């Protein structure tokens, strides 16, 4: 991961400063979740055009033949759309350019990811995504819907799970275990779940708000890697608040 600092410098110090950079993020075989860790420069809202997100192998060559598949699911986990990456002529004879294609219509996809929008990948082989752009250093609120959604660490650096707080429209934390972060295996099997509780909401001995292990009822100790994805199962819609960098 590399960052480049750009800004105007005066005798008083740095007056303005942006950080731009790039990051190579591994994608495991089978199922996983990810999120773009940069805002796109010169694009309203920092949105990422899906066609600029290219799956590559260890040599930097694109991974085609439909091996890499981005999935979009409903809040109940039902598959709604799937986009796969193909090189020229790999999908059909009329297809002349590499890119993401709709698995149903076989048309080149027109889609942009909102800044901080997570997604799920179903990969026939492991690969890499290359993300680039401007680092968002501000306190950020990423929306999540009721029931299931794909989320991720929007930062290009690691972050402690306890620094990410689920909040409502008024920026108050959402406790009582209503917001649940889920980790699943490459085959989609639930491996761990952490829920957010305010003080004394989980047990009498629990004195601080935070994410707690649903099995052990202990305060969760976990650090998200940059861009690492996860699922949320939420009893109510809200936002994940990421602290300022």
């Amino acid at each position: 991961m590399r960052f480049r600092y750009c800004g105007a410098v005066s005798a008083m110090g740095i007056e303005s400063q942006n950080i731009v950079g790039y990051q190579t993020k591994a994608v495991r075989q089978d199922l996983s979740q990810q999120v773009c860790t940069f805002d796109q420069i010169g694009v309203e809202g920092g949105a990422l055009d899906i066609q600029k997100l290219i799956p590559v192998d260890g040599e930097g060559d694109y991974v085609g033949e439909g091996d890499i598949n981005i999935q979009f699911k409903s809040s109940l986990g039902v598959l709604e759309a799937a986009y796969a990456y193909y090189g020229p002529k790999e999908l059909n004879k009329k297809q002349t350019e590499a890119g993401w294609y709709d698995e149903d219509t076989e048309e080149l996809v027109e889609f942009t990811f909102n800044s901080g929008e997570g997604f799920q990948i179903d990969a026939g082989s492991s690969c890499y995504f290359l993300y680039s752009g401007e680092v968002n250093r501000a306190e950020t609120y990423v929306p999540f819907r009721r029931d299931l959604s794909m989320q991720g660490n929007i930062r290009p650096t690691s972050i402690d799970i306890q620094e990410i707080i689920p909040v409502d429209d008024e920026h108050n934390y959402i406790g009582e275990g209503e917001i649940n972060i889920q980790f699943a295996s490459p085959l989609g099997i639930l491996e761990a779940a952490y829920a957010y509780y305010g003080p004394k909401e989980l047990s009498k001995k629990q004195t601080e708000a935070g994410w707690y292990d649903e099995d052990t009822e202990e305060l969760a100790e976990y650090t998200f890697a940059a861009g690492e994805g996860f699922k949320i199962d939420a009893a109510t819609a809200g936002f994940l608040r990421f602290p300022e960098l």
Side-chain angles (χ1 to χ4, degrees), residues 66-229:
D67 272 358
I68 311 303
N69 192 291
I70 289 177
Q71 299 181 334
F72 296 87
K73 294 190 174 184
S74 73
S75 60
L76 298 180
V78 179
L79 183 65
E80 294 183 319
Y83 304 147
Y85 201 89
Y86 291 91
K89 307 291 186 181
E90 291 178 351
L91 180 59
N92 56 51
K93 292 181 179 179
K94 67 178 182 179
Q95 174 233 351
T96 59
E97 59 182 306
W100 295 98
Y101 286 80
D102 190 301
E103 289 279 68
D104 290 329
T105 66
E106 296 191 353
E107 297 291 333
L108 193 67
V109 172
E110 294 183 6
F111 181 82
T112 56
F113 293 102
N114 294 325
S115 178
E117 181 179 356
F119 55 93
Q120 179 159 290
I121 308 155
D122 188 359
S125 60
S126 60
C127 67
Y128 301 90
F129 282 146
L130 179 64
Y131 296 111
S132 63
E134 183 175 350
V135 179
N136 175 10
R137 295 184 294 159
E139 182 177 77
T140 302
Y141 294 79
V142 179
F144 60 82
R145 64 192 179 190
R146 183 177 178 179
D147 297 321
L148 293 176
S149 63
M150 306 300 166
Q151 304 291 333
N153 173 18
I154 65 171
R155 303 305 192 193
T157 57
S158 60
I159 187 170
D160 190 311
I161 190 174
Q162 301 298 344
E163 294 187 70
I164 303 172
I165 302 174
V167 297
D168 59 21
D169 291 337
E170 297 180 350
H171 298 176
N172 298 315
Y173 75 77
I174 303 173
E176 301 289 353
E178 290 192 347
I179 312 304
N180 192 290
I181 286 179
Q182 298 182 340
F183 297 88
S185 74
L187 299 181
I189 299 171
L190 182 65
E191 294 184 320
Y194 301 142
Y196 201 89
Y197 290 91
K200 306 293 186 180
E201 291 177 351
L202 179 60
S203 66
K204 292 182 179 179
K205 68 177 181 179
Q206 174 234 351
T207 59
E208 59 182 305
W211 296 97
Y212 285 79
D213 189 300
E214 289 279 70
D215 291 329
T216 67
E217 296 190 355
E218 297 291 333
L219 195 64
E221 294 183 5
Y222 188 82
T223 299
F224 289 107
E228 180 180 353

